[in-house]
């Protein structure tokens, strides 16, 4: 049975097999596909099959877990938390020197986030790995629900479109990519900036906003910022 240090949860199981199912991706991105138009574009005629897959992913007896290793030695974990009545997806980050994983974002009815700015999402997706989820497109879509960035640059839709084109059966992936960027996460879009080399935001529900009482400690914020950006966070002053 898989374990994540400090994470109090149920029976974690490796979820890698789900990544080969084209329906997994619209199911995983469901909270970012708000409205009938978005769901019709993403699921098409496969709604019933998608709901059956969701039931599998949400089963109490197995909690699918996905690991996204970073060059820094940190690992991002994506966990389908399947407590009865308290289901959601937790996005955690851990380093072997830490006693416990830290939470980046929570995708559920009591959401917490955002956990990443757009440049960080791209950077994390493109960092190569020989373990865990190693495909850049899969990493991008898997981590996408952590995004909350009010300054998305021109060309973001093009960059995002490649992933659903490669991994799903969505007929109009560019349209879906555009919808995803319009509906990032469940939180209000945050403005990101660098403060003493640490990328932080102004989100009221974000662990990476030092103004929040529940924010991560300063040292963790710096380490996470550097890890997500591949050690290059200090070179970019804004996320736009």
């Amino acid at each position: 049975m898989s374990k994540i240090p400090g994470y109090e949860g149920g029976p974690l199981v490796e979820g890698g097999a789900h990544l080969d199912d084209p329906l997994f991706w619209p199911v995983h991105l469901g909270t970012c596909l708000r409205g009938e138009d978005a769901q019709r574009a993403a699921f098409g005629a496969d709604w019933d099959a998608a709901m059956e897959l969701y039931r599998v992913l949400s089963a109490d007896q197995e909690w699918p877990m996905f690991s996204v290793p970073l060059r820094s030695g940190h690992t991002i974990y994506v966990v389908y938390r399947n407590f009865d009545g308290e289901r959601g997806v937790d996005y955690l980050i851990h380093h072997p020197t830490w006693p416990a994983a830290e939470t980046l974002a929570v995708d559920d009815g009591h959401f917490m986030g955002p956990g990443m700015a757009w440049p960080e999402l791209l950077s994390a997706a493109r960092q190569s790995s020989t373990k865990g989820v190693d495909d850049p497109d899969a990493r991008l879509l898997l981590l996408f629900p952590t995004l909350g960035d009010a300054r998305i640059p021109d060309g973001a839709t093009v960059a995002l479109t490649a992933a659903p084109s490669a991994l799903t059966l969505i007929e109009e992936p560019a349209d879906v990519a555009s919808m995803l960027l319009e509906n990032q996460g469940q939180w209000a879009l945050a403005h990101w900036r660098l403060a003493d080399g640490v990328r932080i935001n102004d989100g009221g529900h974000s662990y990476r906003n030092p103004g929040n009482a529940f924010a991560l400690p300063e040292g963790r914020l710096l380490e996470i910022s550097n890890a997500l950006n591949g050690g290059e966070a200090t070179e970019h002053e804004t996320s736009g």
Side-chain angles (χ1 to χ4, degrees):
M1 194 68 65
S2 299
K3 296 286 185 182
I4 300 174
Y7 184 72
E8 299 294 336
L12 303 180
V13 297
E14 293 294 336
H18 291 297
L19 303 183
D20 295 326
D21 184 347
L23 273 180
F24 170 77
W25 300 106
V27 170
H28 180 69
L29 298 167
T31 57
C32 304
L33 293 166
R34 295 189 287 278
E36 292 183 5
D37 290 344
Q39 293 186 2
R40 188 180 304 111
F43 293 101
D46 295 320
W47 180 258
D48 290 341
M51 291 305 96
E52 179 58 33
L53 174 58
Y54 175 75
R55 284 189 283 272
V56 172
L57 292 169
S58 303
D60 296 349
Q61 64 270 23
E62 290 188 348
W63 295 18
M65 179 195 74
F66 308 86
S67 59
V68 180
L70 303 176
R71 286 198 297 263
S72 58
H74 297 75
T75 299
I76 301 172
Y77 293 100
V78 181
V79 180
Y80 276 72
R81 172 180 24 87
N82 294 333
F83 284 122
D84 185 23
E86 195 179 338
R87 289 179 171 82
V89 182
D90 294 329
Y91 294 83
L92 313 159
I93 187 168
H94 182 254
H95 189 273
T97 61
W98 297 0
E102 303 283 8
T103 303
L104 278 176
V106 177
D107 188 11
D108 66 7
H110 305 283
F111 59 84
M112 297 295 292
M116 292 190 200
W118 173 254
E120 295 177 325
L121 177 62
L122 285 184
S123 172
R126 293 170 177 173
Q127 292 184 37
S128 59
S129 173
T130 58
K131 298 180 180 180
V133 182
D134 59 356
D135 177 71
D137 290 327
R139 289 164 71 105
L140 180 63
L141 294 188
L142 194 62
L143 299 178
F144 184 87
T146 68
L147 179 66
D149 195 332
R151 292 189 290 262
I152 295 294
D154 294 338
T157 300
V158 174
L160 182 58
T161 298
S165 295
L167 299 175
T168 78
L169 302 177
I170 293 171
E171 293 183 359
E172 300 293 342
D175 290 346
V176 172
S178 179
M179 293 174 183
L180 288 170
L181 290 170
E182 290 174 3
N183 296 289
Q184 307 163 36
Q186 301 187 70
W187 35 76
L189 300 185
H191 294 84
W192 295 80
R193 63 186 178 89
L194 279 177
D196 297 324
V198 182
R199 196 185 294 275
I200 60 175
N201 67 59
D202 59 0
H205 296 88
S206 179
Y207 294 107
R208 297 183 65 193
N209 175 2
N212 291 330
F214 50 82
L216 293 169
E218 182 178 351
R220 286 284 191 268
L221 290 174
L222 175 60
E223 194 171 343
I224 289 170
S225 183
N226 287 334
L228 292 177
N229 288 281
E232 299 175 356
T234 56
E235 297 183 10
H236 305 280
E237 293 188 357
T238 71
S239 63

